[in-house]
């Protein structure tokens, strides 16, 4: 048998250069603790974009947090159930961009990437890798067509509700 007790939460400190996975784990459990969590990140925060994504996703589930300088505060709260689709990984998609760049002619269709993605690599792919873009809006969702010379990429995004 496993016996446990309620998580108390409280104030804690972590190095800012620790993996964002540790920080995200603490943040995601924080609203379920008795006292909430005040997390102080010491030194340079190297994974700020990933922490930001975690906080934005938590907010989609009804949990609010505040982030002031190097301190993140999460009060006790309840997550609200919502319908949610997990997005494909923009970082993984970048390998396909590289393959396309090395090809004379290429057409690649990548599914499951969201137009308004929280992932940082989405902005880089749309603005730096393929700057010439045409945006169309169809019933099936928004399609962005990028092209440089003979290179074409088609990204299909889910339709926003």
């Amino acid at each position: 048998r496993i016996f446990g007790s309620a998580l108390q939460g409280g104030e804690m400190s972590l190095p800012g250069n620790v993996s964002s996975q540790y920080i995200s784990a603490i943040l995601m459990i924080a609203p379920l603790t008795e006292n909430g969590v005040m997390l102080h990140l010491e030194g340079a925060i190297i994974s700020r974009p990933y922490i930001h994504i975690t906080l934005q996703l938590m907010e989609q589930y009804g949990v609010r947090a505040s982030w002031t300088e190097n301190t993140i505060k999460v009060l006790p709260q309840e997550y609200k159930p919502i319908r949610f689709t997990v997005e494909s990984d923009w970082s993984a998609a970048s390998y396909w961009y590289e393959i396309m760049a090395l090809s004379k002619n290429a057409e690649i269709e990548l599914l499951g990437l969201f137009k308004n993605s929280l992932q940082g690599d989405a902005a880089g792919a749309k603005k730096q890798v393929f700057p010439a873009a045409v945006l169309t809006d169809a019933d099936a969702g928004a399609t962005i067509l990028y092209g440089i010379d003979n290179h074409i990429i088609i990204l299909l995004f889910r339709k926003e509700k």
Side-chain angles (χ1 to χ4, degrees):
R1 293 193 141 187
I2 298 174
F3 297 96
S5 60
L7 296 173
Q8 295 302 305
E11 203 164 333
M12 62 183 73
S13 297
L14 281 176
N17 63 357
V18 72
S19 169
S20 63
Q21 293 171 340
Y22 291 111
I23 297 168
S24 291
I26 291 169
L27 293 175
M28 289 187 287
I29 196 67
L32 305 176
T33 64
E34 296 284 322
N35 303 310
V37 169
M38 185 172 297
L39 177 60
H40 303 284
L41 300 173
E42 299 173 344
I45 303 170
I46 61 168
S47 55
R48 189 176 294 268
Y50 294 107
I51 299 167
H52 186 64
I53 288 173
T54 298
L55 294 174
Q56 287 182 309
L57 288 172
M58 288 169 60
E59 189 168 345
Q60 289 182 25
Y61 283 89
V63 171
R64 295 190 180 270
S66 64
W67 190 353
T68 307
E69 296 179 15
N70 285 14
T71 301
I72 304 171
K73 184 176 182 179
V74 183
L75 298 174
Q77 302 164 63
E78 289 187 21
Y79 284 105
K80 308 290 187 256
I82 63 169
R83 292 185 68 81
F84 189 80
T85 302
V86 176
E87 179 180 17
S88 294
D89 183 8
W90 277 93
S91 298
S94 69
Y95 295 105
W96 293 103
Y97 301 148
E98 293 170 19
I99 290 170
M100 192 174 81
L102 297 172
S103 304
K104 280 189 169 185
N105 295 300
E107 184 175 314
I108 300 173
E109 184 177 8
L110 302 171
L111 303 175
L113 299 167
F114 298 169
K115 178 181 176 186
N116 295 319
S117 177
L118 299 176
Q119 298 179 53
D121 288 345
K126 290 185 276 190
K127 292 180 183 170
Q128 296 169 4
V129 179
F130 299 101
V134 177
L135 174 64
T136 61
D137 196 355
D139 289 341
T143 301
I144 296 185
L145 175 65
Y146 295 92
I148 297 178
D149 299 327
N150 293 328
H151 303 277
I152 298 171
I153 185 165
I154 300 170
L155 305 176
L156 298 176
F157 300 95
R158 72 178 169 110
K159 187 169 183 173
E160 296 179 8
K161 297 176 183 175

